[in-house]
Amino acid sequence: MEPCIFERIGHRALRERIVTAETAASWINDGMTLGLSGFTRAGDAKAVPTALIERAKQQPLKVDVYTGASLGSDIDKLMAEAGIIHKRLPFQADATMRRKINERELLFIDQHLSHTAELVRSDALKPIDYAIVEAVSITEDGLIIPTTSVGNSSIFVEKARQVIIELNMAQPKALYGFHDIYEVGKQGERSPIPLTKVDDRIGMIGIPVDIDKIAGIVITNQMDSPSTIAPPDEETSAIANHLIDFLRKEVAAGRLTERLAPIQAGIGSVANAVLYGLLDSEFYDLEVYSEVLQDSMFDLIDAGKVRFASGCSMTLSESKMKQVYTNLDAYRGKLILRPQEISNHPEIIRRLGLISINTALEADIYGNVNSTHVRGTHMMNGIGGSGDFARHARLTIFVTKSSAEHGAISSIVPFVSHVDHTEHDVDVIITEYGYADLRGLAPVERAPLIIEHCAHPDYRPQLRDYFAEALDRGGHTPHVLEKALLWHIRYEQHGTMREEKYELQRQ
Ligand code: COA
């Protein structure tokens, strides 16, 4: 064994268990359930799933796959193409897998990301046969040190019948010390989670494992796949400016200080761009209690804007990855990675009083938000952690561009075609045109604010007329039910949500 491998396997007995990815994949049988490490492309098991996909070309099989969130290295794409997935949970973000889900070639459970661990722990899901987790090293006392994400790896390792470790030599050894693994215990028997500040360490440095359960260690040498988010554009920068205006008003009203409150920001291009907006703001000494730490977070740390960031994965672009990985020590003491159950835990979100910023596909005139289903039926990615945060945060903010598909779709509609976040959970909606602060407002007060401040100007007359007609019908939350989803139907039939008469007025 090469000395560098030797160095990374502290526990002596485990040095005998090195196998190839093909051997490990050969242990997986049709009908089994796998718990894979990986969260938004970071820290995913890479070699064994790839070997399994290859093997399935000769010996077709289907497995259930549980993960932290989306995988990188095209694993979701390749698994979907190979047809080896029977059921997948709790999140994905791959175009091919999305298509197969929507064609119902594979089953998908779109789950709050903090819920998976509870369901696994309580044996409510099909048991996991193999946990396959990526590690940077294994300590002398047998702790698995994860790589760039923790995700659901600790609960998978605890509950799986057997464990396969992918020891990834390409992941920097310096990641040792960045993780904090805390096990909450069974429901009904647990104590409060002792985390009262974003930088509290409450657990162990790695994932404890019953050594007898480790079936094999596969040596790999492959970086995470870089994130693919688009850089900020004019619209996302405008959204960021409105967010900052809103936060300034909160400071002026004495509800926040210039240190704000711990921030959570969701996945995707919009959320990443919005965080960049904080770089040039007056806010300082910021704290982050989030899920995915994207490029913007590291720039905020570098600029001294963010004092400490807690997350459950680091998902970076190629250039940022190079910069961060060669300089990890600069982030020691400023960053921590926790299991997603802890990063997204309602108890902690409520206790810390987070400012939560996530992205909507569409919002309606009363404040309900759809983050997952295109036109109510077709899965985009999944709810991810947005629901964990939305229900419990101090301030629940949803951002979206006011229109999509070059203006053919209004992101503000009379009635969302699928509800992920109800009007009861949503405090503020922001688009590039402005923000609507919905706190303390009844439904009929909210609608005009959302229409006038957030909707695209081209759609405002159409929305105003819908709301006026709805008011005539009466009710606490007035609707013209037979027209409520007509916007989506019109798009399907005519390729635009615009009604012809408004289109003519516009010209
Ligand atoms: N109807 C149909 N499609 C829409 C739409 C709407 N109302 N609004 C946006 N879209 C499309 C865009 O056109 C774009 O399509 P493309 O990929 O073909 O170009 C796609 O949705 C993504 O939109 P974009 O504006 O680029 O936003 P994004 O990259 O920030 O992603 C979400 C937005 C909602 C898809 C993404 O944030 C998500 O999956 N959220 C749910 C999970 C979550 O919030 N997790 C964080 C918790 S911590």
Side-chain angles (χ1 to χ4, degrees), residues 234-422:
E234 209 178 308
E235 285 159 330
T236 52
S237 302
I239 293 173
N241 288 337
H242 294 306
L243 171 72
I244 285 162
D245 276 357
F246 167 75
L247 293 172
R248 269 185 197 134
K249 294 216 169 79
E250 288 302 288
V251 173
R255 288 186 285 269
L256 291 172
T257 70
E258 284 188 347
R259 290 192 165 95
L260 301 179
I263 294 169
Q264 175 267 331
I267 55 155
S269 310
V270 178
N272 190 54
V274 161
L275 278 188
Y276 270 122
L278 289 171
L279 263 181
D280 302 321
S281 72
E282 66 275 32
F283 306 122
Y284 68 100
D285 243 0
L286 302 174
E287 295 181 334
V288 170
Y289 196 82
S290 201
E291 189 189 84
V292 184
L293 307 178
Q294 304 193 99
D295 282 19
S296 48
M297 194 57 67
F298 289 82
D299 286 331
L300 285 164
I301 294 176
D302 292 347
K305 280 277 172 195
V306 164
R307 183 190 77 73
F308 194 91
S310 165
C312 91
S313 83
M314 316 194 310
T315 302
L316 304 175
S317 66
E318 198 165 359
S319 57
K320 190 52 87 186
M321 219 183 266
K322 277 189 196 131
Q323 182 206 318
V324 169
Y325 288 4
T326 48
N327 195 20
L328 264 173
D329 279 336
Y331 300 97
R332 210 170 284 285
K334 296 181 182 166
L335 202 145
I336 203 163
L337 297 177
R338 309 180 189 275
Q340 68 198 68
E341 187 179 26
I342 302 297
S343 62
N344 292 28
H345 204 288
E347 178 189 334
I348 300 168
I349 295 166
R350 188 64 75 90
R351 179 182 296 144
L352 296 179
L354 301 194
I355 300 173
S356 165
I357 308 156
N358 290 291
T359 312
L361 281 176
E362 59 177 6
D364 69 28
I365 55 172
Y366 296 116
N368 298 291
V369 164
N370 172 12
S371 291
T372 57
H373 283 70
V374 174
R375 286 184 297 291
T377 52
H378 281 59
M379 175 53 61
M380 176 60 101
N381 300 326
I383 192 165
S386 56
D388 292 324
F389 292 101
R391 175 64 53 90
H392 305 284
R394 166 203 308 245
L395 266 170
T396 295
I397 300 170
F398 278 92
V399 293
T400 178
K401 293 184 181 179
S402 68
S403 66
E405 299 291 333
H406 309 290
I409 293 176
S410 172
S411 306
I412 306 296
V413 288
F415 208 150
V416 282
S417 53
H418 174 92
V419 187
D420 290 300
H421 312 291
T422 75

